[in-house]
Amino acid sequence: MNTLETYQTFYFVGIGGIGMSALARYFNASGKKVLGYDKTNTKLTRELMKEGIDIVFEDNLDDKITSLQQGSTLVIYTPAIKNLGILDYFNQNNFTVLKRAKVLGLITEHTECIAVAGTHGKTTTSTLVSHLCKEADLPFSCFLGGISENFKSNFLYNGSQYSVVEADEYDRSFLNLSPNWAVITSTDADHLDIYGDKSHIEEGFRQFASLVPENKHLFVRKGIEIGRDHRTYAVNEKADYYSDNLRMDYDKIYFDFHTPTETIKDFVWEIPGIHNVENATVAIAILYNLGVDFETLKKGIANFKGIKRRYTKHIYKNGKIYIDDYAHHPTEINAVMGSIKTFYPDKKLLVAFQPHLFSRTRDFADGFAESLSKSDELILLDIYPARELQENFEGITSEWLLEKVNLDKKEVSTLADAFGKIKEKDFEILLTVGAGNIDTLYDPVCQWLEKENQ
């Protein structure tokens, strides 16, 4: 295989994925020719096209594909793509075809790589590490699994000494990386279609941890057994690095940060939830170990705006609140609901939730039911299949899940009907939540609520 530098053209199969699009932006910013396929035209694909990337949405072999040269074109695909004529063409004609994770590993191989892993929290943590790197003006690039509200992108180039990457455990992708620094935020059961059970996913994280050369460069949330020496971090309990003395003042959270040798008081930020203070704690710890001063870190924490679809909140003049979040696992939904109940304990909460994957819905049905039962009213959307087929999961439907939810006011809806149903409901807080295409509700809901307040 050629080195990445020798390829002039990069074709992405599944370019609209959050991880794939960050890589596409990297090569596009490097002056390479970038084009690709995705089955769905989304806000993200439209942004990529505005940046000069050519994207098609039909599985057809057009002239742009058949004219590509095998020796100078690298094809990058996501394992979520199973059957596609375009991908078959590249394989049959001996193009070099690599998974996204392999290419990301090659890019970061020659940098000082900071990799953030975990079944929950990795997007916020990696985005915050990137934001603090930018505040400190470190020479870095980042490849994120969400859209930073500060960067307005999932990719940023500010140099090549460091790379910050979200290390994805799906398909064991993170084992392709060569991390010099790493974070492990959580190892809860997830992706059981890949790992089978919790013990195997924990083993996957232990394998990831073993890739880090130095013990003092591996940061693991206290309580997680990772099978080697490391540094711990925590909130409200002592660890190598920890935060405590949390105080709330309206929508701001204040906390104190402790290193092994000193205490720095009064960090302040606006991202709700104790779990997010955990994410901030380890991000501060890493940047501190990279030599960044606490004045810069305090400033960066204070002006961090978060990630799109991670507790994105709007408050309207009539008192209604709209929150949109990417949560798609019971632990994540509990964190979001817990934050809402902490800040707004007496407000009537309407939840519109779209389950993501038949396998995840099946594996965590009781957990989802318990989480969703904490709402006042529920609109449960049809399951978003992503890479899976309903025929392989007989009986696993939203109707089946709804029966487990302990609520009087609950119903199943298609995505197409959901907005109309939301407009008819009596609520004080609306939460739209899920990792599929429920994000298409965001703009219509915002526009409707804004108009209601004119």
Side-chain angles (χ1 to χ4, degrees):
M1 185 191 78
N2 297 334
T3 62
L4 289 177
E5 289 74 19
T6 62
Y7 293 105
Q8 298 306 308
T9 303
F10 294 82
Y11 194 99
F12 285 80
V13 180
I15 195 169
I18 194 71
M20 291 282 277
S21 58
L23 279 185
R25 282 171 156 156
Y26 167 80
F27 288 116
N28 193 48
S30 303
K32 304 293 186 178
K33 181 181 178 182
V34 178
L35 59 164
Y37 159 86
D38 205 276
K39 67 178 181 180
T40 307
N41 188 355
T42 64
K43 184 183 293 187
L44 181 51
T45 58
R46 290 191 289 274
E47 288 173 359
L48 294 176
M49 288 188 282
K50 285 180 184 176
E51 294 167 20
I53 296 173
D54 195 345
I55 302 175
V56 299
F57 302 96
E58 300 290 336
D59 185 16
N60 297 324
L61 297 178
D62 58 21
D63 292 344
K64 291 178 182 177
I65 293 176
T66 56
S67 63
L68 294 175
Q69 299 298 306
Q70 176 259 346
S72 61
T73 301
L74 177 63
V75 179
I76 303 167
Y77 76 102
T78 167
I81 299 287
K82 302 298 184 186
N83 299 303
L84 196 73
I86 291 172
L87 190 56
D88 291 342
Y89 170 83
F90 287 125
N91 282 314
Q92 290 163 6
N93 287 275
N94 298 316
F95 282 76
T96 301
V97 179
L98 297 178
K99 286 184 179 180
R100 179 196 68 88
K102 178 66 175 177
V103 177
L104 181 59
L106 292 171
I107 290 172
T108 58
E109 213 170 56
H110 304 293
T111 68
E112 192 164 347
C113 177
I114 305 167
V116 181
T119 46
H120 321 295
K122 59 182 175 287
T123 301
T124 299
T125 306
S126 57
T127 304
L128 180 54
V129 169
S130 302
H131 172 68
L132 294 178
C133 284
K134 182 70 166 61
E135 285 291 319
D137 199 26
L138 297 181
F140 81 102
S141 301
C142 62
F143 302 84
L144 307 173
I147 304 297
S148 161
E149 292 283 13
N150 291 88
F151 307 153
K152 303 301 181 187
S153 179
N154 54 346
F155 167 75
L156 184 70
Y157 180 84
N158 197 54
S160 57
Q161 179 179 345
Y162 299 96
S163 60
V164 182
V165 301
E166 179 171 329
D168 187 5
E169 74 276 6
Y170 175 70
D171 202 32
R172 296 180 173 84
S173 293
F174 56 5
L175 301 183
N176 289 279
L177 300 173
S178 301
N180 303 91
W181 301 75
V183 176
I184 297 176
T185 64
S186 51
T187 59
D188 290 350
D190 199 2
H191 302 301
L192 299 185
D193 54 325
I194 298 294
Y195 289 95
D197 58 34
K198 191 174 191 297
S199 65
H200 284 91
I201 197 167
E202 289 172 343
E203 174 58 28
F205 279 100
R206 284 193 291 272
Q207 291 173 5
F208 170 74
S210 72
L211 301 176
V212 183
E214 296 188 41
N215 294 335
K216 65 182 181 179
H217 289 180
L218 175 62
F219 294 77
V220 181
R221 185 173 61 79
K222 188 174 182 180
I224 296 175
E225 295 295 329
I226 211 63
R228 61 170 288 185
D229 288 339
H230 58 274
R231 291 183 166 181
T232 60
Y233 70 95
V235 170
N236 289 333
E237 61 174 317
K238 290 190 176 181
D240 294 324
Y241 298 88
Y242 68 99
S243 295
D244 63 5
N245 194 24
L246 275 63
R247 296 94 70 202
M248 291 186 192
D249 184 6
Y250 293 98
D251 279 356
K252 292 186 177 180
I253 296 177
Y254 293 77
F255 60 91
D256 299 341
F257 175 79
H258 303 265
T259 77
T261 58
E262 58 185 318
T263 297
I264 300 84
K265 291 183 175 296
D266 295 331
F267 278 84
V268 57
W269 79 338
E270 299 182 1
I271 311 300
I274 291 176
H275 62 293
N276 279 319
V277 179
E278 276 188 356
N279 298 333
T281 300
V282 70
I284 295 167
I286 286 180
L287 272 293
Y288 165 76
N289 278 274
L290 291 177
V292 179
D293 63 90
F294 283 114
E295 183 180 348
T296 300
L297 294 176
K298 276 193 169 183
K299 179 185 174 186
I301 291 293
N303 65 27
F304 180 60
K305 297 178 182 177
I307 304 104
K308 285 187 184 295
R309 302 216 65 231
R310 268 50 171 200
Y311 207 89
T312 300
K313 182 173 67 174
H314 302 274
I315 301 176
Y316 296 92
K317 293 177 184 176
N318 63 2
K320 286 195 174 183
I321 298 170
Y322 173 38
I323 297 168
D324 182 48
D325 198 274
Y326 187 74
H328 53 285
H329 184 283
T331 302
E332 297 166 346
I333 295 173
N334 283 335
V336 174
M337 302 272 270
S339 293
I340 292 172
K341 295 297 185 183
T342 297
F343 281 104
Y344 312 106
D346 300 319
K347 289 188 179 292
K348 189 184 299 182
L349 174 62
L350 169 65
V351 173
F353 172 58
Q354 182 185 51
H356 185 266
L357 297 176
F358 299 110
S359 58
R360 185 181 284 120
T361 304
R362 175 199 62 199
D363 294 339
F364 302 106
D366 291 341
F368 281 125
E370 184 179 347
S371 301
L372 297 170
S373 297
K374 297 172 185 175
S375 61
D376 295 297
E377 187 166 2
L378 173 66
I379 299 173
L380 184 62
L381 274 60
D382 292 334
I383 297 170
Y384 185 79
R387 56 188 176 268
E388 296 179 340
L389 298 174
Q390 173 75 78
E391 64 198 52
N392 296 327
F393 297 90
E394 186 177 350
I396 306 302
T397 64
S398 289
E399 288 80 4
W400 170 78
L401 177 60
L402 191 74
E403 290 183 7
K404 296 176 177 289
V405 177
N406 183 24
L407 269 182
D408 292 329
K409 295 182 177 180
K410 59 181 182 178
E411 63 183 297
V412 169
S413 174
T414 63
L415 177 62
D417 291 340
F419 180 49
K421 291 180 182 293
I422 288 169
K423 290 165 69 174
E424 296 171 356
K425 302 296 184 184
D426 176 28
F427 64 87
E428 293 172 287
I429 301 178
L430 168 64
L431 169 65
T432 52
V433 62
N437 57 355
I438 190 173
D439 63 327
T440 58
L441 290 176
Y442 178 79
D443 286 340
V445 168
C446 287
Q447 291 163 9
W448 166 62
L449 288 172
E450 197 68 54
K451 189 175 181 181
E452 289 284 297
N453 280 268
Q454 289 177 353

